Amino acid sequence: MSDPSAEVWHYDGRSALRRSARLTVDGDDGFRLVGDGVSDERHAFAALTPADADGDRRSFGLRGRPGWRIGLAAPVPPEIAARLPGAQRYGGWIDRLGLWRAAAISAMLAAVAVAIVLQTPALLARLIPTSVEQRLGEVMVGDFGRTGCAAPAGTAALARLAQRIDPDDPTRDIHVVKLPMVNAVTLPGGRIVVFDGLLQAARSPDEVAGVIGHEIGHVRGRDVMESLLRQLGLSVLLGGMEGHVGGYTNALLATAYSRGAEARADGYAIRLLDEAHVSPRPTAAFFARLAKAQAGTERMFAYLASHPLSDARAARFRTSAKADAGYTPALDPADWQALRGICRGETNRIEWRF
């Protein structure tokens, strides 16, 4: 009994000539083409690929041979048809799964991709070495120039306030700069800068204590690097190490932390105030005043730009207050006046301790 065969047209991929040939089965898994000008080399059926560019499902290419092609005329002998690869469906896996199921899977994959992108800054921020973060913060300090306030009595009062609310971290470094904006900012490396405008807008040292406690919360959560990475990407590292940081500091002042970061920093501040026996009610009042200023004073808006507020956040501080907790002011009246006057007189370039 002779091997099954079928008439085919054939392009060899080397010339534009279309030739007639006969496909002859050679063994269980191979075939040969026989005809004038046609190479009789043996090919494997498994090397055939469905060619659907012209809509002819009986045409095939050959893997690894660009331009090589055969087409079989109907009817194809069953012995050959059984060895040919199945027709390639236009939709591929979409056709196999169904349109709506494929759409649901695509939506799930897109949601996962978006979640990964959103979480990347937070994950990356925690992988950046502390030494790199400190170097970036050190360079960014230069943006403030000679505006560091250094009145001795005010500096001593600030140190006492920091020690009162955060006695367990001797590495903390907090400074006041002579700028009229109502704001406080944490630089990379844990450096906290309080603007003199905030001291003048505050009505008690307890309000300042709550704000500083909030900034300390951002330090502990490494929220600053996350915010910068989210806003500016890796350029904060690649560019910052070269000293091109003027835009970075401005971005930091105008970039809002995520809601999660703000909530964590609020919780940290509430805990610090509670452990220091400082009432959280003044901080709640301070935040409430700022929230009302969103459509008003530009000086107040500086804090709102980098620390978005809501009535719920102010209420969280208010409801955290405990009855009969024995609260005492964060500073006595003399120290409070000294702190508010820290920027009177000469200002010095900020020097950071390591």
Side-chain angles (χ1 to χ4, degrees):
M1 181 177 178
S2 61
D3 291 327
S5 63
E7 294 294 329
V8 301
W9 52 259
H10 171 56
Y11 290 99
D12 61 11
R14 294 188 291 271
S15 71
L17 294 177
R18 172 169 166 161
R19 295 184 171 89
S20 296
R22 176 167 289 277
L23 183 150
T24 302
V25 175
D26 186 358
D28 292 335
D29 60 353
F31 67 91
R32 295 178 185 276
L33 298 180
V34 180
D36 292 340
V38 176
S39 171
D40 66 346
E41 62 184 306
R42 185 178 186 276
H43 304 289
F45 279 104
L48 292 175
T49 58
D52 57 0
D54 59 3
D56 187 351
R57 294 189 176 186
R58 296 180 305 278
S59 62
F60 301 89
L62 186 68
R63 191 175 295 113
R65 295 284 289 274
W68 190 101
R69 197 163 181 179
I70 60 172
L72 290 82
V76 179
E79 298 88 344
I80 295 178
R83 292 175 167 87
L84 295 173
Q88 182 175 349
R89 304 176 68 177
Y90 177 76
W93 67 274
I94 295 179
D95 283 345
R96 289 193 294 274
L97 292 175
L99 177 60
W100 293 110
R101 185 176 296 177
I105 292 175
S106 298
M108 291 175 59
L109 293 176
V112 171
V114 170
I116 291 174
V117 170
L118 292 176
Q119 290 300 319
T120 295
L123 298 174
L124 185 58
R126 284 150 182 78
L127 295 176
I128 295 174
T130 302
S131 59
V132 173
E133 186 177 349
Q134 288 178 338
R135 173 73 188 281
L136 180 58
E138 180 183 1
V139 175
M140 291 176 70
V141 167
D143 278 2
F144 292 106
R146 297 183 61 83
T147 58
C149 300
T155 300
L158 178 62
R160 280 191 283 273
L161 177 62
Q163 181 66 22
R164 170 78 184 273
I165 63 172
D166 187 30
D168 297 327
D169 185 6
T171 66
R172 94 183 84 72
D173 220 348
I174 306 172
H175 285 262
V176 177
V177 296
K178 192 173 184 178
L179 290 174
M181 291 185 293
V182 179
N183 209 347
V185 63
T186 300
L187 299 180
R191 303 164 174 86
I192 297 174
V193 176
V194 177
F195 292 11
D196 183 52
L198 186 145
L199 296 180
Q200 304 312 313
R203 295 177 180 175
S204 74
D206 296 358
E207 295 184 355
V208 177
V211 172
I212 291 178
H214 180 91
E215 296 302 322
I216 292 173
H218 284 311
V219 172
R220 301 292 189 267
R222 302 194 75 178
D223 298 329
V224 183
M225 288 305 302
E226 177 184 345
S227 178
L228 284 173
L229 289 169
R230 194 180 301 279
Q231 178 78 1
L232 301 170
L234 289 176
S235 62
V236 301
L237 298 179
L238 302 180
M241 293 302 97
E242 297 176 0
H244 306 302
V245 295
Y248 300 163
T249 304
N250 290 334
L252 182 60
L253 294 175
T255 299
Y257 292 109
S258 68
R259 290 184 179 180
E262 289 292 85
R264 289 192 301 271
D266 282 347
Y268 202 91
I270 289 171
R271 181 168 68 84
L272 290 180
L273 293 175
D274 181 65
E275 293 175 352
H277 302 292
V278 174
S279 174
R281 292 190 187 95
T283 304
F286 178 72
F287 284 167
R289 293 201 309 277
L290 288 173
K292 291 179 181 179
Q294 291 190 51
T297 310
E298 292 182 0
R299 289 177 69 248
M300 304 289 271
F301 187 76
Y303 192 90
L304 298 170
S306 54
H307 301 75
L309 296 171
S310 67
D311 291 337
R313 289 187 59 198
R316 183 180 178 188
F317 278 85
R318 190 180 306 112
T319 57
S320 71
K322 300 176 181 178
D324 302 323
Y327 294 131
T328 58
L331 291 175
D332 62 33
D335 275 345
W336 172 229
Q337 291 305 314
L339 179 58
R340 298 193 75 201
I342 192 173
C343 290
R344 294 171 187 160
E346 295 294 326
T347 58
N348 297 314
R349 185 177 299 278
I350 298 174
E351 295 182 2
W352 300 98
R353 299 186 301 273
F354 291 93

